[in-house]
Amino acid sequence: MTAAGREPLEEAVRAAVGAVVDPELRQPISTMDMLREIRVDEDATAHVGIALTVIGCPMSDRIAADVDAAARAVPGIRDAEVALTVMNPDERMALVERLRGSRASHTVGFGAGSRTRVIAVTSGKGGVGKSTVTANLAVALARRGLRVGLVDLDVHGFSIPGLMGLVDDAGRAPHPTRIDDMILPPVAYDVKTISIGMFLREQDAGRAVAWRGPLLHRTVQQFLTDVHFGDLDVLLLDMPPGTGDIAITVGQLLPNAGVLVVTTPQPAAVDVAVRSGQVARQTGQSVIGVVENMAPLTMPDGTVLDLFGTGGGARAARALSHEGDEVALLGSIPLSPALRAAGDAGTPIVAADPEDPAAVQLTALAAALAPRRRGAVNLGSTGLSPSDQTPSAR
Ligand code: ADP
Protein backbone atom coordinates (compact mmCIF):
# COMPACT_ATOMS: atom_id res chain seq x y z
CA MET A 1 0.00 0.00 0.00
CA THR A 2 1.43 3.40 -0.96
CA ALA A 3 1.80 6.24 1.51
CA ALA A 4 -0.79 8.21 -0.45
CA GLY A 5 -3.15 5.26 -0.29
CA ARG A 6 -2.72 5.03 3.47
CA GLU A 7 -3.60 8.64 4.18
CA PRO A 8 -7.39 8.32 3.76
CA LEU A 9 -7.24 5.15 5.82
CA GLU A 10 -5.46 6.99 8.61
CA GLU A 11 -8.11 9.70 8.51
CA ALA A 12 -10.84 7.04 8.70
CA VAL A 13 -9.12 5.40 11.68
CA ARG A 14 -8.75 8.80 13.37
CA ALA A 15 -12.46 9.49 12.96
CA ALA A 16 -13.45 6.02 14.14
CA VAL A 17 -11.30 5.88 17.26
CA GLY A 18 -11.92 9.54 18.04
CA ALA A 19 -15.61 8.72 18.39
CA VAL A 20 -14.93 6.18 21.16
CA VAL A 21 -16.52 7.54 24.32
CA ASP A 22 -14.52 7.65 27.55
CA PRO A 23 -16.68 5.63 29.96
CA GLU A 24 -16.12 8.00 32.86
CA LEU A 25 -15.88 11.38 31.20
CA ARG A 26 -18.67 10.42 28.83
CA GLN A 27 -17.20 12.32 25.95
CA PRO A 28 -15.59 11.19 22.70
CA ILE A 29 -11.87 10.81 23.27
CA SER A 30 -11.13 13.09 20.32
CA THR A 31 -12.59 16.05 22.22
CA MET A 32 -10.26 15.41 25.13
CA ASP A 33 -6.95 15.39 23.28
CA MET A 34 -6.40 11.74 24.11
CA LEU A 35 -5.47 10.76 20.56
CA ARG A 36 -1.76 10.54 19.79
CA GLU A 37 -0.04 8.93 16.81
CA ILE A 38 -2.29 7.32 14.23
CA ARG A 39 -0.48 5.41 11.51
CA VAL A 40 -1.40 2.69 9.07
CA ASP A 41 1.49 0.55 7.81
CA GLU A 42 1.98 -1.34 4.54
CA ASP A 43 0.10 -4.43 5.65
CA ALA A 44 -2.96 -2.37 6.74
CA THR A 45 -2.25 -2.56 10.46
CA ALA A 46 -3.50 0.51 12.34
CA HIS A 47 -1.16 1.78 15.09
CA VAL A 48 -3.09 3.97 17.51
CA GLY A 49 -1.59 5.91 20.41
CA ILE A 50 -3.90 6.96 23.24
CA ALA A 51 -2.89 9.16 26.17
CA LEU A 52 -4.90 8.36 29.28
CA THR A 53 -5.65 10.95 31.92
CA VAL A 54 -4.10 9.04 34.80
CA ILE A 55 -1.83 6.06 35.21
CA GLY A 56 -3.74 2.89 35.94
CA CYS A 57 -7.02 4.56 35.15
CA PRO A 58 -9.50 1.77 36.02
CA MET A 59 -11.20 2.18 32.69
CA SER A 60 -8.01 1.88 30.64
CA ASP A 61 -8.66 -1.72 29.56
CA ARG A 62 -12.11 -0.79 28.33
CA ILE A 63 -10.86 2.25 26.43
CA ALA A 64 -8.10 0.16 24.83
CA ALA A 65 -10.58 -2.55 23.83
CA ASP A 66 -13.07 -0.03 22.41
CA VAL A 67 -10.32 1.76 20.46
CA ASP A 68 -9.00 -1.53 19.14
CA ALA A 69 -12.48 -2.59 18.00
CA ALA A 70 -13.18 0.80 16.41
CA ALA A 71 -9.90 0.73 14.45
CA ARG A 72 -10.45 -2.85 13.23
CA ALA A 73 -13.97 -1.98 12.08
CA VAL A 74 -12.63 0.53 9.56
CA PRO A 75 -12.96 -0.99 6.06
CA GLY A 76 -9.50 -1.76 4.71
CA ILE A 77 -7.88 -2.20 8.12
CA ARG A 78 -6.67 -5.74 8.78
CA ASP A 79 -5.14 -5.46 12.25
CA ALA A 80 -4.75 -2.92 15.05
CA GLU A 81 -2.22 -2.18 17.76
CA VAL A 82 -3.13 0.20 20.57
CA ALA A 83 -0.40 1.86 22.63
CA LEU A 84 -1.45 3.47 25.91
CA THR A 85 0.52 6.31 27.44
CA VAL A 86 -0.36 8.88 30.05
CA MET A 87 -0.85 12.63 29.75
CA ASN A 88 1.80 14.88 31.18
CA PRO A 89 0.77 17.31 33.96
CA ASP A 90 0.31 20.23 31.56
CA GLU A 91 -1.88 18.22 29.24
CA ARG A 92 -3.91 17.01 32.18
CA MET A 93 -4.33 20.48 33.59
CA ALA A 94 -5.50 21.75 30.22
CA LEU A 95 -8.06 18.95 30.08
CA VAL A 96 -9.33 19.67 33.60
CA GLU A 97 -9.68 23.36 32.71
CA ARG A 98 -11.61 22.52 29.61
CA LEU A 99 -13.91 20.06 31.39
CA ARG A 100 -14.67 22.62 34.05
CA GLY A 101 -15.60 25.06 31.32
CA SER A 102 -16.50 28.48 32.55
CA ARG A 103 -16.88 27.29 36.13
CA ALA A 104 -14.03 28.44 38.31
CA SER A 105 -12.42 25.73 40.40
CA HIS A 106 -13.72 25.33 43.93
CA THR A 107 -17.15 26.70 43.27
CA VAL A 108 -20.36 24.73 43.56
CA GLY A 109 -21.62 23.92 40.09
CA PHE A 110 -25.33 23.69 40.81
CA GLY A 111 -25.99 26.79 42.86
CA ALA A 112 -28.20 29.73 42.02
CA GLY A 113 -28.44 30.41 38.29
CA SER A 114 -27.79 26.79 37.32
CA ARG A 115 -30.22 25.24 34.85
CA THR A 116 -29.94 21.84 36.52
CA ARG A 117 -32.94 20.76 38.49
CA VAL A 118 -31.70 19.87 41.97
CA ILE A 119 -33.87 17.56 44.06
CA ALA A 120 -32.95 16.74 47.65
CA VAL A 121 -34.72 13.59 48.78
CA THR A 122 -35.31 13.58 52.50
CA SER A 123 -37.26 11.73 55.16
CA GLY A 124 -37.89 12.14 58.85
CA LYS A 125 -36.36 8.86 59.84
CA GLY A 126 -34.33 5.99 58.40
CA GLY A 127 -35.73 2.85 56.91
CA VAL A 128 -38.65 4.37 55.03
CA GLY A 129 -37.06 3.61 51.65
CA LYS A 130 -35.67 7.07 50.89
CA SER A 131 -32.46 5.73 49.29
CA THR A 132 -34.36 3.09 47.36
CA VAL A 133 -36.74 5.72 45.99
CA THR A 134 -33.85 8.06 45.15
CA ALA A 135 -31.84 5.40 43.28
CA ASN A 136 -34.86 4.25 41.28
CA LEU A 137 -35.89 7.80 40.55
CA ALA A 138 -32.41 8.53 39.21
CA VAL A 139 -32.45 5.46 36.96
CA ALA A 140 -36.00 6.18 35.76
CA LEU A 141 -35.05 9.78 34.90
CA ALA A 142 -31.96 8.57 33.01
CA ARG A 143 -34.15 6.13 31.10
CA ARG A 144 -36.16 9.13 29.91
CA GLY A 145 -33.02 10.40 28.23
CA LEU A 146 -32.12 12.95 30.89
CA ARG A 147 -28.58 13.53 32.09
CA VAL A 148 -28.72 12.56 35.74
CA GLY A 149 -26.33 12.89 38.66
CA LEU A 150 -26.82 11.22 42.04
CA VAL A 151 -25.06 12.30 45.22
CA ASP A 152 -25.30 10.10 48.30
CA LEU A 153 -25.00 12.33 51.35
CA ASP A 154 -26.49 9.83 53.75
CA VAL A 155 -23.44 9.57 56.02
CA HIS A 156 -25.24 7.23 58.35
CA GLY A 157 -26.35 4.84 55.66
CA PHE A 158 -24.61 5.41 52.31
CA SER A 159 -26.53 2.64 50.63
CA ILE A 160 -26.54 4.16 47.14
CA PRO A 161 -23.43 2.32 45.82
CA GLY A 162 -25.02 -1.01 46.75
CA LEU A 163 -28.41 -0.07 45.28
CA MET A 164 -26.75 1.01 42.02
CA GLY A 165 -24.58 -2.12 41.75
CA LEU A 166 -21.41 -0.13 42.31
CA VAL A 167 -19.81 -2.38 44.91
CA ASP A 168 -17.38 -5.27 44.72
CA ASP A 169 -18.06 -8.76 46.09
CA ALA A 170 -17.10 -7.59 49.57
CA GLY A 171 -19.68 -4.78 49.37
CA ARG A 172 -17.03 -2.05 49.02
CA ALA A 173 -17.65 0.95 46.83
CA PRO A 174 -14.87 1.78 44.34
CA HIS A 175 -12.56 4.73 44.83
CA PRO A 176 -13.49 7.14 42.06
CA THR A 177 -10.90 8.09 39.46
CA ARG A 178 -9.26 11.46 39.99
CA ILE A 179 -7.67 13.73 37.45
CA ASP A 180 -5.65 16.01 39.68
CA ASP A 181 -8.26 17.45 42.05
CA MET A 182 -11.16 16.60 39.78
CA ILE A 183 -13.14 13.52 40.83
CA LEU A 184 -14.96 11.47 38.21
CA PRO A 185 -18.22 9.91 39.38
CA PRO A 186 -18.64 6.23 38.46
CA VAL A 187 -21.57 5.67 36.11
CA ALA A 188 -24.26 3.05 36.69
CA TYR A 189 -27.47 2.74 34.69
CA ASP A 190 -26.43 5.95 32.93
CA VAL A 191 -26.45 7.80 36.26
CA LYS A 192 -23.29 9.57 37.41
CA THR A 193 -23.12 8.43 40.98
CA ILE A 194 -20.99 9.60 43.86
CA SER A 195 -21.26 8.53 47.48
CA ILE A 196 -19.67 9.60 50.67
CA GLY A 197 -19.01 5.85 51.11
CA MET A 198 -16.51 6.02 48.21
CA PHE A 199 -14.27 8.36 50.18
CA LEU A 200 -14.11 6.54 53.46
CA ARG A 201 -11.23 4.35 54.26
CA GLU A 202 -12.35 1.08 55.76
CA GLN A 203 -11.29 2.01 59.25
CA ASP A 204 -13.36 5.21 59.07
CA ALA A 205 -16.55 3.61 57.82
CA GLY A 206 -17.86 2.74 61.25
CA ARG A 207 -17.02 6.19 62.56
CA ALA A 208 -18.94 8.15 59.99
CA VAL A 209 -21.92 8.48 62.27
CA ALA A 210 -19.77 10.43 64.70
CA TRP A 211 -18.79 13.08 62.16
CA ARG A 212 -19.47 16.58 63.28
CA GLY A 213 -20.69 19.68 61.54
CA PRO A 214 -17.48 21.27 60.18
CA LEU A 215 -16.14 18.03 58.70
CA LEU A 216 -19.51 17.23 57.18
CA HIS A 217 -19.77 20.72 55.77
CA ARG A 218 -16.35 20.43 54.14
CA THR A 219 -17.09 16.98 52.76
CA VAL A 220 -20.38 18.05 51.22
CA GLN A 221 -18.77 21.12 49.77
CA GLN A 222 -16.07 18.96 48.22
CA PHE A 223 -18.67 16.68 46.70
CA LEU A 224 -20.37 19.58 45.06
CA THR A 225 -17.22 21.31 43.82
CA ASP A 226 -14.63 18.68 42.94
CA VAL A 227 -16.88 16.02 41.45
CA HIS A 228 -17.12 16.50 37.71
CA PHE A 229 -20.72 15.87 36.69
CA GLY A 230 -20.60 17.91 33.51
CA ASP A 231 -23.85 19.39 32.31
CA LEU A 232 -26.81 17.74 34.04
CA ASP A 233 -30.56 17.98 33.63
CA VAL A 234 -31.23 16.64 37.13
CA LEU A 235 -29.11 16.24 40.25
CA LEU A 236 -30.59 14.05 42.97
CA LEU A 237 -29.30 14.21 46.52
CA ASP A 238 -29.92 11.34 48.91
CA MET A 239 -30.04 13.24 52.17
CA PRO A 240 -29.48 11.77 55.61
CA PRO A 241 -32.79 11.30 57.43
CA GLY A 242 -33.85 14.01 59.82
CA THR A 243 -32.92 17.62 60.19
CA GLY A 244 -29.18 17.72 60.87
CA ASP A 245 -26.05 19.53 59.76
CA ILE A 246 -26.05 18.25 56.19
CA ALA A 247 -29.56 19.52 55.53
CA ILE A 248 -28.43 22.98 56.65
CA THR A 249 -25.23 22.82 54.57
CA VAL A 250 -27.14 21.76 51.46
CA GLY A 251 -29.66 24.51 52.12
CA GLN A 252 -26.80 27.03 52.11
CA LEU A 253 -24.90 25.66 49.13
CA LEU A 254 -27.92 24.79 47.01
CA PRO A 255 -30.71 27.17 47.94
CA ASN A 256 -32.38 26.36 44.64
CA ALA A 257 -32.82 22.68 45.55
CA GLY A 258 -36.37 21.41 45.80
CA VAL A 259 -37.05 18.98 48.60
CA LEU A 260 -38.90 15.73 48.04
CA VAL A 261 -40.18 14.22 51.26
CA VAL A 262 -40.45 10.44 51.56
CA THR A 263 -42.64 8.86 54.22
CA THR A 264 -44.38 5.60 54.89
CA PRO A 265 -48.13 5.67 55.60
CA GLN A 266 -47.40 5.26 59.32
CA PRO A 267 -48.19 8.25 61.59
CA ALA A 268 -44.81 8.10 63.36
CA ALA A 269 -43.01 8.43 60.02
CA VAL A 270 -45.35 11.14 58.78
CA ASP A 271 -44.81 13.45 61.76
CA VAL A 272 -41.01 13.44 61.46
CA ALA A 273 -41.18 13.67 57.66
CA VAL A 274 -43.26 16.82 57.95
CA ARG A 275 -40.70 18.26 60.33
CA SER A 276 -37.82 17.61 57.89
CA GLY A 277 -39.82 19.38 55.17
CA GLN A 278 -40.40 22.34 57.45
CA VAL A 279 -36.68 22.61 58.27
CA ALA A 280 -35.87 22.57 54.55
CA ARG A 281 -38.22 25.50 54.11
CA GLN A 282 -36.47 27.37 56.90
CA THR A 283 -33.21 27.11 54.96
CA GLY A 284 -34.95 28.64 51.97
CA GLN A 285 -35.64 25.51 49.96
CA SER A 286 -39.02 24.69 48.50
CA VAL A 287 -40.89 21.47 49.17
CA ILE A 288 -41.77 20.04 45.78
CA GLY A 289 -43.86 17.14 46.96
CA VAL A 290 -44.35 14.07 49.08
CA VAL A 291 -43.79 10.44 48.12
CA GLU A 292 -45.46 7.70 50.09
CA ASN A 293 -43.47 4.47 50.17
CA MET A 294 -44.37 1.04 51.55
CA ALA A 295 -48.01 1.70 50.75
CA PRO A 296 -50.48 -1.23 50.82
CA LEU A 297 -49.67 -4.19 48.59
CA THR A 298 -52.44 -6.03 46.74
CA MET A 299 -51.66 -9.74 46.95
CA PRO A 300 -52.25 -12.20 44.08
CA ASP A 301 -55.46 -13.42 45.77
CA GLY A 302 -56.80 -9.87 45.91
CA THR A 303 -56.30 -9.33 49.63
CA VAL A 304 -54.52 -6.15 50.66
CA LEU A 305 -51.48 -6.11 52.93
CA ASP A 306 -51.31 -2.73 54.61
CA LEU A 307 -48.33 -3.28 56.85
CA PHE A 308 -47.81 0.41 57.63
CA GLY A 309 -51.44 1.54 57.32
CA THR A 310 -52.81 3.93 54.73
CA GLY A 311 -53.12 7.60 53.97
CA GLY A 312 -49.87 8.87 55.53
CA GLY A 313 -48.56 10.39 52.31
CA ALA A 314 -51.69 12.46 51.77
CA ARG A 315 -51.60 13.53 55.41
CA ALA A 316 -47.98 14.68 55.12
CA ALA A 317 -48.78 16.62 51.95
CA ARG A 318 -51.71 18.35 53.67
CA ALA A 319 -49.60 19.20 56.72
CA LEU A 320 -46.91 20.78 54.51
CA SER A 321 -49.38 22.76 52.40
CA HIS A 322 -50.07 26.41 53.01
CA GLU A 323 -52.38 28.84 51.34
CA GLY A 324 -50.75 29.56 47.98
CA ASP A 325 -48.06 26.90 48.46
CA GLU A 326 -49.78 23.58 47.98
CA VAL A 327 -47.66 20.46 48.41
CA ALA A 328 -48.96 17.43 46.55
CA LEU A 329 -48.61 13.71 47.01
CA LEU A 330 -46.60 12.89 43.87
CA GLY A 331 -46.63 9.13 44.16
CA SER A 332 -47.54 6.18 46.30
CA ILE A 333 -45.23 3.19 45.98
CA PRO A 334 -46.55 -0.12 47.25
CA LEU A 335 -44.64 -2.63 49.32
CA SER A 336 -42.81 -4.87 46.88
CA PRO A 337 -40.70 -7.92 47.64
CA ALA A 338 -39.26 -7.63 44.11
CA LEU A 339 -38.16 -4.05 44.74
CA ARG A 340 -36.43 -5.10 47.93
CA ALA A 341 -34.67 -8.02 46.22
CA ALA A 342 -33.63 -5.83 43.26
CA GLY A 343 -32.18 -3.29 45.66
CA ASP A 344 -30.16 -5.96 47.43
CA ALA A 345 -28.88 -7.21 44.07
CA GLY A 346 -27.83 -3.74 42.90
CA THR A 347 -30.25 -3.79 39.97
CA PRO A 348 -32.84 -1.02 40.52
CA ILE A 349 -36.36 -2.34 39.94
CA VAL A 350 -37.28 0.30 37.33
CA ALA A 351 -34.57 -1.28 35.14
CA ALA A 352 -34.76 -4.89 36.35
CA ASP A 353 -38.55 -5.32 36.27
CA PRO A 354 -40.35 -2.23 34.97
CA GLU A 355 -43.72 -4.04 35.14
CA ASP A 356 -43.58 -4.54 38.91
CA PRO A 357 -46.29 -2.35 40.51
CA ALA A 358 -43.69 -0.46 42.59
CA ALA A 359 -41.56 0.10 39.47
CA VAL A 360 -44.61 1.43 37.59
CA GLN A 361 -45.23 3.96 40.35
CA LEU A 362 -41.56 4.97 40.53
CA THR A 363 -41.47 5.48 36.76
CA ALA A 364 -44.60 7.65 36.99
CA LEU A 365 -42.95 9.63 39.78
CA ALA A 366 -39.95 10.26 37.51
CA ALA A 367 -42.30 11.48 34.80
CA ALA A 368 -43.93 13.89 37.25
CA LEU A 369 -40.56 15.28 38.33
CA ALA A 370 -38.74 15.29 34.98
CA PRO A 371 -37.65 18.66 33.72
CA ARG A 372 -37.95 19.00 29.99
CA ARG A 373 -34.64 18.10 28.41
CA ARG A 374 -33.16 21.33 27.16
CA GLY A 375 -33.85 21.64 23.47
CA ALA A 376 -35.92 18.45 23.47
CA VAL A 377 -39.59 17.92 22.86
CA ASN A 378 -42.15 17.55 25.62
CA LEU A 379 -41.65 14.15 27.20
CA GLY A 380 -45.35 13.47 27.45
CA SER A 381 -47.81 12.45 30.11
CA THR A 382 -46.75 12.03 33.70
CA GLY A 383 -48.52 8.74 34.25
CA LEU A 384 -50.27 10.08 37.33
CA SER A 385 -53.97 10.73 37.40
CA PRO A 386 -54.90 14.42 37.02
CA SER A 387 -55.86 14.69 40.68
CA ASP A 388 -52.36 13.57 41.65
CA GLN A 389 -50.65 16.17 39.54
CA THR A 390 -49.56 19.35 41.07
CA PRO A 391 -48.64 22.81 40.03
CA SER A 392 -45.99 22.80 42.75
CA ALA A 393 -44.06 19.93 41.13
CA ARG A 394 -41.72 22.37 39.50
P1 ADP B 1 -33.79 4.64 53.92
O1 ADP B 1 -32.93 5.23 52.86
O2 ADP B 1 -35.02 5.45 54.17
O3 ADP B 1 -33.06 4.33 55.19
P2 ADP B 1 -33.79 2.23 52.32
O4 ADP B 1 -34.02 2.73 50.96
O5 ADP B 1 -32.42 1.82 52.71
O6 ADP B 1 -34.36 3.25 53.40
O7 ADP B 1 -34.82 1.03 52.55
C1 ADP B 1 -34.88 0.31 53.76
C2 ADP B 1 -35.25 -1.14 53.46
O8 ADP B 1 -36.58 -1.20 52.99
C3 ADP B 1 -34.39 -1.73 52.36
O9 ADP B 1 -34.14 -3.08 52.71
C4 ADP B 1 -35.27 -1.68 51.13
O10 ADP B 1 -35.01 -2.72 50.22
C5 ADP B 1 -36.65 -1.85 51.73
N1 ADP B 1 -37.71 -1.19 50.96
C6 ADP B 1 -37.75 0.11 50.56
N2 ADP B 1 -38.90 0.36 49.91
C7 ADP B 1 -39.61 -0.80 49.88
C8 ADP B 1 -40.87 -1.20 49.33
N3 ADP B 1 -41.66 -0.34 48.69
N4 ADP B 1 -41.23 -2.51 49.48
C9 ADP B 1 -40.43 -3.39 50.13
N5 ADP B 1 -39.25 -3.08 50.67
C10 ADP B 1 -38.83 -1.80 50.55
Side-chain angles (χ1 to χ4, degrees):
M1 197 186 298
T2 63
R6 294 200 298 265
E7 224 165 83
L9 261 185
E10 286 172 351
E11 279 319 300
V13 171
R14 181 176 294 282
V17 302
V20 167
V21 172
D22 180 295
E24 290 179 302
L25 293 166
R26 303 241 124 184
Q27 291 186 28
I29 61 175
S30 62
T31 64
M32 296 183 300
D33 291 343
M34 288 167 75
L35 292 184
R36 293 294 178 268
E37 180 206 40
I38 298 207
R39 183 169 57 79
V40 175
D41 66 18
E42 295 83 25
D43 66 0
T45 298
H47 300 266
V48 182
I50 302 289
L52 299 172
T53 48
V54 280
I55 297 170
C57 145
M59 292 295 166
S60 57
D61 288 349
R62 166 131 170 237
I63 295 175
D66 289 353
V67 165
D68 185 83
R72 283 170 198 272
V74 172
I77 293 296
R78 284 220 293 269
D79 200 358
E81 270 178 29
V82 180
L84 297 180
T85 53
V86 89
M87 289 183 180
N88 67 35
D90 287 346
E91 290 169 335
R92 215 164 41 231
M93 204 189 298
L95 173 62
V96 167
E97 294 296 312
R98 207 166 53 250
L99 289 171
R100 281 208 181 102
S102 54
R103 185 158 75 85
S105 66
H106 305 296
T107 60
V108 173
F110 302 101
S114 153
R115 291 191 299 173
T116 302
R117 182 169 202 190
V118 183
I119 301 175
V121 186
T122 189
S123 65
K125 66 191 193 85
V128 301
K130 168 185 55 61
S131 301
T132 304
V133 167
T134 311
N136 277 284
L137 194 52
V139 175
L141 287 164
R143 285 164 70 91
R144 295 176 68 83
L146 295 165
R147 295 162 300 179
V148 183
L150 171 55
V151 174
D152 179 7
L153 295 176
D154 192 346
V155 273
H156 311 284
F158 46 86
S159 51
I160 289 291
L163 288 166
M164 297 294 285
L166 282 172
V167 288
D168 60 19
D169 291 344
R172 278 188 302 256
H175 287 291
T177 302
R178 284 169 185 266
I179 308 175
D180 298 339
D181 62 358
M182 177 181 274
I183 298 164
L184 302 183
V187 180
Y189 299 93
D190 275 332
V191 176
K192 293 180 176 172
T193 306
I194 200 86
S195 167
I196 204 148
M198 295 170 184
F199 293 88
L200 293 176
R201 288 165 308 173
E202 247 157 70
Q203 63 268 32
D204 293 336
R207 279 192 243 144
V209 284
W211 286 9
R212 287 287 170 258
L215 177 57
L216 287 176
H217 186 86
R218 272 204 308 280
T219 306
V220 172
Q221 197 159 23
Q222 188 192 17
F223 265 55
L224 299 173
T225 52
D226 291 351
V227 177
H228 178 69
F229 285 105
D231 209 4
L232 293 179
D233 296 304
V234 192
L235 179 69
L236 291 174
L237 308 170
D238 185 19
M239 302 293 291
T243 54
D245 293 322
I246 289 193
I248 292 163
T249 289
V250 168
Q252 285 167 357
L253 296 174
L254 297 171
N256 54 330
V259 171
L260 186 63
V261 177
V262 180
T263 182
T264 67
Q266 202 175 13
V270 170
D271 294 345
V272 286
V274 167
R275 210 169 308 142
S276 68
Q278 287 163 341
V279 167
R281 275 212 183 107
Q282 283 162 15
T283 64
Q285 295 171 323
S286 57
V287 177
I288 57 174
V290 171
V291 178
E292 181 180 66
N293 186 33
M294 306 191 180
L297 159 71
T298 304
M299 312 280 273
D301 67 358
T303 57
V304 173
L305 175 67
D306 53 354
L307 200 58
F308 296 107
T310 55
R315 254 196 330 277
R318 270 199 308 278
L320 283 165
S321 291
H322 298 301
E323 182 87 40
D325 186 7
E326 300 298 314
V327 172
L329 177 60
L330 296 178
S332 181
I333 298 143
L335 285 161
S336 160
L339 174 146
R340 201 267 312 141
D344 290 346
T347 54
I349 190 92
V350 293
D353 183 5
E355 304 300 317
D356 175 83
V360 169
Q361 290 302 316
L362 285 159
T363 303
L365 175 66
L369 288 169
R372 262 205 243 163
R373 177 141 190 196
R374 298 199 284 275
V377 292
N378 192 334
L379 288 162
S381 109
T382 63
L384 287 175
S385 69
S387 62
D388 289 332
Q389 291 185 24
T390 167
S392 61
R394 283 162 296 200

